[in-house]
Amino acid sequence: MASSLINSELFKDQYSTKEMRAVFSGRAQIQSWLDCWVALAKAEAKNGVIPESAAEEIAQKAHAEDIDMDYVREGFKKTSHPLMPQIRAFTQLCSPEAGGYIHWGATTQDITDTRMILQLRNAQDILEKQLEHLLNQVLDKAEKYKALPEAGRTHAQHAVPITLGYKFAIWADELGRDLERLQHDRKTYFAGNFGGAAGTLASLFDKGIAVRNDFCKNLGLAIPTITWHVSRDRLANFSSDIAIAASTIGKMANEIINLQRTEIEEVEEGFQMGKVGSSTMPQKRNPMICENIYANVRLVKNNANLGLEAMVQEHERDMSFW
């Protein structure tokens, strides 16, 4: 049994999508690790750190479907290490000559962080498309209902008349800012991370900065000014942007819930035959979808707080808030 509704085999389609789950699947995580090692090997070969032939073989063998997930899973449990079993599994696919250059000059957090950034970037691509679709839907409603009278409310009491389109227009304006914020900030928080043992690039001597820059370029990620092993503001920024966008949607869902009240009945969430409002009272049309949405929003907002907590790090490495 999953510990989260997002991952529940029974309820997951109410709280997540197949497309988003694929981004964070075990295979996708493994492939992201492999992509990082390929990018690193190519960067090091370009700068004369490792043989070109080794980089070519590493790139040829970097396929997640060839990795034994059971071996990796058991290895994590035995070693208590978050990456070494995957390094060993990948090394077994390569010749001894090429395998010895996998992870060359890197530290675990370099690959762990960059892998995470690759997955977050893929996730945000999906989120931006969803936001664009939602924004267009809301704009259409704003136009459609721009002259439909509705009671304006302040302090939960009737105020002066508005139109339903006006309410939708306010939502659209906010959604537009949410989308712009995500698009603007992605160039900041989608950066690669490569620094070696203590983040100083010392193991690569004078080639360190060049390798780091090419590593990031190979992955299409921004090049950081300096190692960010203990600088987690990028992740706080990302999680905050996501939480702000989610909160806009949560506000919309909550407004629909309130306006669908029996004593108001001004709007209603979408209904289709087969949807059930209550197992006891068949006449009810409960705003179940909006309630599920608002539940998800609460989860997202709490995760944003974890992003802020992760900014407090110790020394040059602190695994407790990876």
Side-chain angles (χ1 to χ4, degrees):
M1 177 180 176
S3 60
S4 167
L5 287 170
I6 293 174
N7 298 316
S8 167
E9 282 300 311
L10 298 176
F11 296 104
K12 62 187 180 184
D13 289 330
Q14 289 180 273
Y15 291 88
S16 64
T17 65
K18 182 178 181 180
E19 186 180 20
M20 188 63 81
R21 289 194 296 271
V23 170
F24 294 102
S25 69
R27 284 292 177 197
Q29 181 167 341
I30 286 176
Q31 188 60 57
S32 295
W33 278 325
L34 296 174
D35 291 344
C36 289
W37 283 315
V38 169
L40 177 59
K42 289 182 176 179
E44 291 178 331
K46 177 183 176 182
N47 289 280
V49 176
I50 70 172
E52 185 71 36
S53 58
E56 290 175 357
E57 184 178 345
I58 288 170
Q60 290 170 358
K61 300 294 179 62
H63 302 292
E65 60 268 22
D66 295 330
I67 299 293
D68 186 339
M69 289 190 68
D70 290 333
Y71 171 87
V72 175
R73 187 185 304 110
E74 286 299 313
F76 288 153
K77 183 170 65 175
K78 291 177 180 178
T79 64
S80 297
H81 192 275
L83 193 63
M84 198 63 214
Q86 172 60 23
I87 296 174
R88 291 170 177 168
F90 188 24
T91 300
Q92 291 172 9
L93 297 179
C94 299
S95 66
E97 292 77 16
Y101 289 111
I102 293 172
H103 199 69
W104 190 267
T107 195
T108 296
Q109 193 175 351
D110 292 332
I111 306 303
T112 300
D113 280 347
T114 307
R115 178 275 305 169
M116 175 177 58
I117 291 298
L118 292 175
Q119 288 182 279
L120 294 182
R121 183 179 63 181
N122 291 340
Q124 182 160 319
D125 289 343
I126 295 172
L127 292 176
E128 287 183 13
K129 290 178 183 177
Q130 292 175 333
L131 273 175
E132 287 174 356
H133 176 73
L134 178 59
L135 174 57
N136 288 329
Q137 292 290 312
V138 175
L139 285 169
D140 288 344
K141 295 291 189 295
E143 176 65 26
K144 181 177 181 179
Y145 298 117
K146 65 182 180 182
L148 181 65
E150 183 185 19
R153 294 174 176 85
T154 60
H155 305 283
Q157 305 296 312
H158 276 200
V160 296
I162 61 170
T163 68
L164 181 57
Y166 170 74
K167 190 183 293 287
F168 277 112
I170 290 175
W171 293 351
D173 188 46
E174 190 168 336
L175 285 168
R177 289 194 299 277
D178 293 336
L179 186 57
E180 288 176 358
R181 189 179 298 111
L182 286 167
Q183 293 171 337
H184 176 271
D185 288 352
R186 66 185 297 145
K187 64 179 179 291
T188 299
Y189 44 64
F190 293 147
N193 201 7
F194 182 76
T200 63
L201 293 168
S203 63
L204 296 180
F205 301 99
D206 62 328
K207 302 292 182 66
I209 292 177
V211 168
R212 182 199 64 192
N213 293 352
D214 287 330
F215 169 68
C216 294
K217 289 177 183 177
N218 289 341
L219 293 168
L221 298 175
I223 298 171
T225 306
I226 196 168
T227 308
W228 53 273
H229 289 163
V230 289
S231 295
R232 315 307 275 179
D233 56 293
R234 287 180 176 84
L235 300 179
N237 188 177
F238 174 83
S239 58
S240 296
D241 282 357
I242 298 299
I244 291 171
S247 296
T248 296
I249 297 168
K251 178 179 68 177
M252 294 165 58
N254 187 60
E255 184 76 357
I256 293 169
I257 290 169
N258 278 296
L259 293 179
Q260 191 171 330
R261 291 176 185 275
T262 306
E263 59 270 29
I264 298 178
E265 286 191 330
E266 290 182 356
V267 302
E268 181 179 330
E269 74 174 31
F271 177 83
Q272 61 184 18
M273 294 304 297
K275 183 181 177 184
V276 176
S278 169
S279 63
T280 309
M281 298 166 282
Q283 81 281 6
K284 295 197 71 180
R285 285 193 178 185
N286 294 334
M288 308 287 278
I289 296 172
C290 286
E291 289 174 333
N292 286 340
I293 290 170
Y294 198 40
N296 243 357
V297 170
R298 286 187 167 112
L299 295 174
V300 174
K301 289 196 293 186
N302 279 309
N303 280 337
N305 185 59
L306 288 176
L308 295 171
E309 288 285 348
M311 289 186 65
V312 181
Q313 300 269 318
E314 293 185 0
H315 309 303
E316 281 62 58
R317 186 72 54 77
D318 183 359
M319 189 173 173
S320 64
F321 264 114
W322 278 13

